[in-house]
Amino acid sequence: MDRKDFIRTGLAGAAALALDPLSAFASPLEAPKPRASKTRLHLSFQSGKAIGDSYAEKFDYMESLGVEGFEPGGKELLNNFDEITKALEGRNIKVSAICAGFDGFILAEDPAVKKTFDTTMRRLIEAAGAVGSTGVIMVPAFNSQKPCRPHTMETRDFLCEQMHELGEFALSKGTTVILEPLNRKEAFYLRLVGDAAAICRDSKSEGVKCMGDFWHMQEETDDYAALMAAGPYLRHVHVASRGRRINPGEDGNLDNYVNGFRALKEMNYPYFVSFECGTAGDKAVTTPAAVKLLRSQWQQA
Ligand code: MG
C-alpha cells in the first residue's frame, strides 16, 4: 500500500466512523460467528419455575425439558430437606445453588443482626453441603437493610475478613458462598460482577465465589467483559428477560445473551445458568420457549 492508498483507506475508515461512531467499539464485543466449544449449557430452575405440585412432579417437568439444576430458596430447603433429597434420588438433576434464605445481613451495624446472619447463614451452608450444592447465594446488604456499615475502605476490609471466615466454613462443608451483585435500585453496595470477583480474590478463601445475573447486569457496560472478569471466581448465573424480568424471550429483541454466553463458553464454565424470573404469559408455553431460545443463543455464541 503506497502513501496515497493509505490516506484513501484512512479517509474511508474515518468516513465510516463518522457515519457510525460506535462501529469501532461494537466490533470486538459482538460474536460474529459461533465458537467451537465442547462446553454445554447446563440450565437450572428455581422452585417456582417448574410446573408441578410435588417435587417429584416438578423434577419430572424439568427432566422433560432437559433442565439439570434445581435452585431452592434457603428456607424452602431447610423446611423440605427430606422431601427434596428423596425426590432428587436417581435423577439427572443436581442442586445448582441455594438462593439466600438467611436472616440478618453481613454488613449490619447492629451486632445482634450480624449474629443472626452468622447463625442462619452457617445453617444454610451446612444444608447446602449436605445436598451437594455449588454454593449459597448472598448479598452483602440490600438498600433497605439499615443500619448498615458505611460504604468505606474499612467496610470493604471487614467484608473480606468476614467472607474469608464464611468461605473457609463453607469449604469444610463441601460447598461455597456466592456473592451476587445486584442493580443499584436494590443494592448499591455491590453492583458489578468484576467488583464481586475482586472481593472473592481479596477474601483469600477458595470457598468465596461470585455470580452474574443477566437481569442485574444492566449495570454492566458489556456482558462478555463482565463475565470474563469473574473468571475462576464465577460459580453461578441467573437469567431472566431483560426488560421486565420474566421468561427469556418475552421481551423480544432485548433478550440477547449471546455475548455473555460466548464468555461462558470461552472460560469453559461448568456450572449452571438458572432461571430467576416470572412470566407475563402462560408458563406452560413461555417456559419451554425460553429454554429453546437460550439453547439456540448458546449455539450462536
Ligand atoms: Mg439473581
mmCIF file of all heavy atoms in Angstrom, residues 33-54:
data_model
loop_
_atom_site.group_PDB
_atom_site.id
_atom_site.type_symbol
_atom_site.label_atom_id
_atom_site.label_comp_id
_atom_site.label_asym_id
_atom_site.label_seq_id
_atom_site.Cartn_x
_atom_site.Cartn_y
_atom_site.Cartn_z
ATOM 1 N N LYS A 33 -19.293 -15.036 14.668
ATOM 2 C CA LYS A 33 -19.643 -16.399 14.319
ATOM 3 C C LYS A 33 -19.475 -17.297 15.540
ATOM 4 O O LYS A 33 -18.711 -16.975 16.450
ATOM 5 C CB LYS A 33 -18.811 -16.912 13.153
ATOM 6 C CG LYS A 33 -17.341 -16.751 13.291
ATOM 7 C CD LYS A 33 -16.652 -17.202 12.020
ATOM 8 C CE LYS A 33 -15.299 -16.561 11.931
ATOM 9 N NZ LYS A 33 -14.476 -16.895 10.865
ATOM 10 N N PRO A 34 -20.175 -18.443 15.556
ATOM 11 C CA PRO A 34 -20.120 -19.306 16.732
ATOM 12 C C PRO A 34 -18.712 -19.820 17.001
ATOM 13 O O PRO A 34 -17.947 -20.054 16.082
ATOM 14 C CB PRO A 34 -21.042 -20.467 16.360
ATOM 15 C CG PRO A 34 -21.879 -19.976 15.246
ATOM 16 C CD PRO A 34 -21.073 -18.957 14.526
ATOM 17 N N ARG A 35 -18.383 -19.971 18.284
ATOM 18 C CA ARG A 35 -17.098 -20.509 18.683
ATOM 19 C C ARG A 35 -17.196 -22.021 18.784
ATOM 20 O O ARG A 35 -18.202 -22.536 19.268
ATOM 21 C CB ARG A 35 -16.693 -19.976 20.067
ATOM 22 C CG ARG A 35 -16.602 -18.476 20.133
ATOM 23 C CD ARG A 35 -15.443 -18.023 19.280
ATOM 24 N NE ARG A 35 -15.547 -16.605 18.999
ATOM 25 C CZ ARG A 35 -14.566 -15.746 19.236
ATOM 26 N NH1 ARG A 35 -13.469 -16.136 19.800
ATOM 27 N NH2 ARG A 35 -14.705 -14.496 18.899
ATOM 28 N N ALA A 36 -16.145 -22.708 18.331
ATOM 29 C CA ALA A 36 -16.115 -24.153 18.536
ATOM 30 C C ALA A 36 -15.884 -24.384 20.021
ATOM 31 O O ALA A 36 -14.924 -23.890 20.595
ATOM 32 C CB ALA A 36 -14.980 -24.750 17.722
ATOM 33 N N SER A 37 -16.797 -25.068 20.672
ATOM 34 C CA SER A 37 -16.665 -25.289 22.109
ATOM 35 C C SER A 37 -17.416 -26.556 22.484
ATOM 36 O O SER A 37 -18.493 -26.826 21.965
ATOM 37 C CB SER A 37 -17.245 -24.100 22.880
ATOM 38 O OG SER A 37 -17.368 -24.412 24.244
ATOM 39 N N LYS A 38 -16.801 -27.307 23.376
ATOM 40 C CA LYS A 38 -17.479 -28.509 23.856
ATOM 41 C C LYS A 38 -18.255 -28.215 25.134
ATOM 42 O O LYS A 38 -18.892 -29.088 25.703
ATOM 43 C CB LYS A 38 -16.451 -29.610 24.122
ATOM 44 C CG LYS A 38 -15.838 -30.153 22.841
ATOM 45 C CD LYS A 38 -15.150 -31.485 23.083
ATOM 46 C CE LYS A 38 -14.679 -32.059 21.771
ATOM 47 N NZ LYS A 38 -13.260 -32.329 21.710
ATOM 48 N N THR A 39 -18.175 -26.966 25.621
ATOM 49 C CA THR A 39 -18.848 -26.615 26.866
ATOM 50 C C THR A 39 -20.355 -26.621 26.663
ATOM 51 O O THR A 39 -20.867 -25.969 25.759
ATOM 52 C CB THR A 39 -18.403 -25.216 27.339
ATOM 53 O OG1 THR A 39 -16.987 -25.214 27.400
ATOM 54 C CG2 THR A 39 -18.967 -24.894 28.704
ATOM 55 N N ARG A 40 -21.059 -27.359 27.490
ATOM 56 C CA ARG A 40 -22.517 -27.460 27.380
ATOM 57 C C ARG A 40 -23.196 -26.408 28.254
ATOM 58 O O ARG A 40 -22.636 -25.940 29.239
ATOM 59 C CB ARG A 40 -22.988 -28.852 27.817
ATOM 60 C CG ARG A 40 -22.658 -29.948 26.797
ATOM 61 C CD ARG A 40 -23.165 -31.287 27.277
ATOM 62 N NE ARG A 40 -24.564 -31.217 27.688
ATOM 63 C CZ ARG A 40 -25.024 -31.563 28.891
ATOM 64 N NH1 ARG A 40 -24.200 -32.017 29.812
ATOM 65 N NH2 ARG A 40 -26.298 -31.453 29.182
ATOM 66 N N LEU A 41 -24.407 -26.090 27.840
ATOM 67 C CA LEU A 41 -25.238 -25.181 28.642
ATOM 68 C C LEU A 41 -26.009 -26.027 29.657
ATOM 69 O O LEU A 41 -26.800 -26.886 29.274
ATOM 70 C CB LEU A 41 -26.202 -24.441 27.724
ATOM 71 C CG LEU A 41 -27.267 -23.567 28.404
ATOM 72 C CD1 LEU A 41 -26.627 -22.421 29.172
ATOM 73 C CD2 LEU A 41 -28.248 -23.022 27.359
ATOM 74 N N HIS A 42 -25.755 -25.792 30.935
ATOM 75 C CA HIS A 42 -26.479 -26.504 31.995
ATOM 76 C C HIS A 42 -27.536 -25.563 32.559
ATOM 77 O O HIS A 42 -27.207 -24.611 33.275
ATOM 78 C CB HIS A 42 -25.524 -26.934 33.114
ATOM 79 C CG HIS A 42 -24.422 -27.833 32.637
ATOM 80 N ND1 HIS A 42 -24.605 -29.174 32.395
ATOM 81 C CD2 HIS A 42 -23.128 -27.577 32.342
ATOM 82 C CE1 HIS A 42 -23.477 -29.718 31.978
ATOM 83 N NE2 HIS A 42 -22.554 -28.761 31.932
ATOM 84 N N LEU A 43 -28.793 -25.831 32.238
ATOM 85 C CA LEU A 43 -29.877 -24.962 32.710
ATOM 86 C C LEU A 43 -30.398 -25.418 34.065
ATOM 87 O O LEU A 43 -30.339 -26.603 34.411
ATOM 88 C CB LEU A 43 -31.018 -24.950 31.695
ATOM 89 C CG LEU A 43 -30.704 -24.257 30.359
ATOM 90 C CD1 LEU A 43 -31.864 -24.423 29.394
ATOM 91 C CD2 LEU A 43 -30.389 -22.774 30.565
ATOM 92 N N SER A 44 -30.910 -24.460 34.806
ATOM 93 C CA SER A 44 -31.434 -24.734 36.152
ATOM 94 C C SER A 44 -32.703 -23.912 36.354
ATOM 95 O O SER A 44 -32.853 -22.837 35.766
ATOM 96 C CB SER A 44 -30.365 -24.329 37.178
ATOM 97 O OG SER A 44 -30.928 -24.145 38.463
ATOM 98 N N PHE A 45 -33.616 -24.417 37.162
ATOM 99 C CA PHE A 45 -34.839 -23.686 37.514
ATOM 100 C C PHE A 45 -34.861 -23.411 39.008
ATOM 101 O O PHE A 45 -34.532 -24.284 39.810
ATOM 102 C CB PHE A 45 -36.091 -24.522 37.199
ATOM 103 C CG PHE A 45 -36.529 -24.522 35.754
ATOM 104 C CD1 PHE A 45 -37.626 -25.282 35.368
ATOM 105 C CD2 PHE A 45 -35.877 -23.764 34.793
ATOM 106 C CE1 PHE A 45 -38.050 -25.300 34.039
ATOM 107 C CE2 PHE A 45 -36.290 -23.771 33.469
ATOM 108 C CZ PHE A 45 -37.391 -24.553 33.094
ATOM 109 N N GLN A 46 -35.317 -22.218 39.368
ATOM 110 C CA GLN A 46 -35.724 -22.008 40.757
ATOM 111 C C GLN A 46 -37.051 -22.746 40.947
ATOM 112 O O GLN A 46 -37.728 -23.111 39.983
ATOM 113 C CB GLN A 46 -35.872 -20.520 41.054
ATOM 114 C CG GLN A 46 -34.533 -19.807 41.148
ATOM 115 C CD GLN A 46 -34.654 -18.391 41.684
ATOM 116 O OE1 GLN A 46 -35.720 -17.799 41.677
ATOM 117 N NE2 GLN A 46 -33.541 -17.838 42.148
ATOM 118 N N SER A 47 -37.424 -22.923 42.182
ATOM 119 C CA SER A 47 -38.549 -23.785 42.506
ATOM 120 C C SER A 47 -39.855 -23.363 41.825
ATOM 121 O O SER A 47 -40.602 -24.201 41.312
ATOM 122 C CB SER A 47 -38.748 -23.805 44.016
ATOM 123 O OG SER A 47 -39.434 -24.950 44.392
ATOM 124 N N GLY A 48 -40.129 -22.057 41.789
ATOM 125 C CA GLY A 48 -41.392 -21.580 41.230
ATOM 126 C C GLY A 48 -41.496 -21.729 39.723
ATOM 127 O O GLY A 48 -42.574 -21.593 39.143
ATOM 128 N N LYS A 49 -40.390 -21.961 39.076
ATOM 129 C CA LYS A 49 -40.379 -22.040 37.603
ATOM 130 C C LYS A 49 -40.892 -23.381 37.117
ATOM 131 O O LYS A 49 -41.491 -23.480 36.041
ATOM 132 C CB LYS A 49 -38.940 -21.801 37.126
ATOM 133 C CG LYS A 49 -38.762 -21.720 35.687
ATOM 134 C CD LYS A 49 -38.989 -20.366 35.024
ATOM 135 C CE LYS A 49 -39.962 -19.398 35.548
ATOM 136 N NZ LYS A 49 -40.519 -18.465 34.576
ATOM 137 N N ALA A 50 -40.647 -24.438 37.906
ATOM 138 C CA ALA A 50 -41.056 -25.781 37.478
ATOM 139 C C ALA A 50 -42.551 -25.988 37.731
ATOM 140 O O ALA A 50 -43.067 -25.611 38.781
ATOM 141 C CB ALA A 50 -40.242 -26.829 38.236
ATOM 142 N N ILE A 51 -43.228 -26.576 36.762
ATOM 143 C CA ILE A 51 -44.661 -26.844 36.907
ATOM 144 C C ILE A 51 -44.843 -28.170 37.650
ATOM 145 O O ILE A 51 -44.190 -29.162 37.352
ATOM 146 C CB ILE A 51 -45.332 -26.900 35.516
ATOM 147 C CG1 ILE A 51 -45.268 -25.514 34.858
ATOM 148 C CG2 ILE A 51 -46.769 -27.389 35.627
ATOM 149 C CD1 ILE A 51 -45.783 -25.466 33.437
ATOM 150 N N GLY A 52 -45.737 -28.156 38.648
ATOM 151 C CA GLY A 52 -45.996 -29.383 39.412
ATOM 152 C C GLY A 52 -46.330 -29.051 40.843
ATOM 153 O O GLY A 52 -45.905 -28.014 41.365
ATOM 154 N N ASP A 53 -47.122 -29.897 41.486
ATOM 155 C CA ASP A 53 -47.493 -29.667 42.878
ATOM 156 C C ASP A 53 -46.441 -30.226 43.828
ATOM 157 O O ASP A 53 -46.138 -29.623 44.854
ATOM 158 C CB ASP A 53 -48.857 -30.312 43.173
ATOM 159 C CG ASP A 53 -49.971 -29.594 42.419
ATOM 160 O OD1 ASP A 53 -49.834 -28.367 42.198
ATOM 161 O OD2 ASP A 53 -50.941 -30.259 42.016
ATOM 162 N N SER A 54 -45.905 -31.399 43.498
ATOM 163 C CA SER A 54 -44.903 -32.015 44.369
ATOM 164 C C SER A 54 -43.526 -31.827 43.740
ATOM 165 O O SER A 54 -43.401 -31.461 42.564
ATOM 166 C CB SER A 54 -45.191 -33.509 44.500
ATOM 167 O OG SER A 54 -45.019 -34.117 43.223
#
